[in-house]
Amino acid sequence: MTDITKASRILADAFTQNTLIDPLPGDATPADFDTAYDVQQATLALTGAKQTGWKLSVATRSAQEKLGLDGPLVGPLLEGRIIGDDSTITTNDVHFPNIEAEIAVVMASTPDADTNADTILDHIQSVHLAIEIADRRFTIKQGPVATLADLNSTGYLVLGRKIASWRDMAFLNGAVETRSNDIVLAQNDDPAAWPDPFGGLVYLVKFLAKRGQSLKPGDVITTGACATPTLTDHGKIEAIFAGVGVVRAEIKLV
């Protein structure tokens, strides 16, 4: 049995002290996703951080099938870590910045647990282009279960421009590219490799309902990588959504 108290204390200390840690010891290593969620929630409580939204990972069906999942993995977005377009963070803020072009949603109201892909749309305030700067506390990259326990690699979210007329869905499944210092990190022009942002949102509503939680007005949800997540170092980062727009930020070397 996993020692959730021990695991969460190690992870919370790493987060609050902004330090790197070795893999969790055997008795504190979650063996499955359900236990990892328990560790994640205990970790979040110990950090004292205020949650302002949610992040989805492993958001495509092909990726989920490889892990035997029926939907994406879920983690928190935290107050002070959702930043605007053209914002700057520093290399003191992140250890292993993993750059992901994403679609983010801001909620207008709380959807019912039985919401579906049509009714969920009425609860959305706005849809945005975004860059997730995922990060980990482990010195060595871990598997998906330990990663989930580590607040699902929460880092920063660059919330970019609103997508006008998002209900026509024209922005979905286009070509996407991420860059760092004008060097291409990842490209995707395969519509099948996009996550379904609204399907992911429905999954999140039902996932939270099973745990006695719900989305709230103002919550920000980022819905998964539209191109392969890629580690970078520092400098200017971009997510380019062809025909829709660009999101930019900078990771400044200090």
Side-chain angles (χ1 to χ4, degrees):
M1 180 178 293
T2 302
D3 187 336
I4 292 173
T5 300
K6 182 176 181 178
S8 60
R9 173 51 64 193
I10 292 170
L11 290 168
D13 285 349
F15 182 86
T16 57
Q17 297 168 20
N18 195 29
T19 55
L20 291 171
I21 57 173
D22 292 329
L24 293 170
D27 63 342
T29 299
D32 53 51
F33 290 115
D34 286 340
T35 306
Y37 278 120
D38 292 339
V39 173
Q40 181 192 116
Q41 289 301 297
T43 299
L44 182 60
L46 287 172
T47 67
K50 180 180 178 182
Q51 186 171 352
T52 53
W54 302 88
K55 56 164 286 184
L56 304 181
S57 62
V58 191
T60 63
R61 279 306 305 150
S62 60
Q64 292 159 17
E65 288 168 359
K66 290 177 182 176
L67 295 176
L69 297 170
D70 62 356
L73 298 176
V74 176
L77 293 177
L78 304 176
E79 186 175 60
R81 290 171 171 257
I82 299 176
I83 58 179
D85 202 5
D86 286 316
S87 291
T88 298
I89 62 172
T90 77
T91 49
N92 286 340
D93 298 317
V94 285
H95 302 291
F96 299 101
N98 212 1
I99 307 306
E100 307 178 16
E102 305 210 3
I103 299 297
V105 171
V106 180
M107 301 304 295
S109 55
T110 297
D112 294 332
D114 62 354
T115 194
N116 58 44
D118 294 322
T119 59
I120 192 71
L121 304 182
D122 295 329
H123 296 279
I124 293 173
Q125 174 179 303
S126 55
V127 178
H128 299 250
L129 304 179
I131 299 173
E132 184 186 355
I133 307 173
D135 195 21
R136 69 176 193 257
R137 270 53 67 180
F138 292 110
T139 54
I140 302 169
K141 183 179 178 180
Q142 300 295 288
V145 174
T147 296
L148 182 63
D150 180 27
L151 301 177
N152 203 17
S153 290
T154 198
Y156 287 80
L157 181 73
V158 185
L159 192 64
R161 54 163 286 189
K162 294 180 182 179
I163 301 173
S165 305
W166 58 266
R167 278 180 177 264
D168 65 15
M169 308 294 176
F171 68 92
L172 292 172
N173 304 327
V176 182
E177 181 175 282
T178 53
R179 295 185 180 189
S180 176
N181 294 321
D182 294 321
I183 297 172
V184 174
L185 297 176
Q187 294 174 314
N188 177 29
D189 58 7
D190 178 9
W194 264 64
D196 173 6
F198 303 114
L201 198 56
V202 171
Y203 177 89
L204 176 61
V205 170
K206 298 180 185 301
F207 173 90
L208 294 177
K210 293 176 183 177
R211 290 158 176 79
Q213 298 173 281
S214 62
L215 295 179
K216 301 176 181 62
D219 276 355
V220 178
I221 299 92
T222 192
T223 59
C226 302
T228 303
T230 311
L231 283 171
T232 189
D233 188 5
H234 57 80
K236 297 184 183 300
I237 56 175
E238 297 176 293
I240 303 165
F241 296 79
V244 184
V246 182
V247 190
R248 297 181 177 90
E250 182 177 4
I251 304 171
K252 185 177 181 180
L253 179 64
V254 293

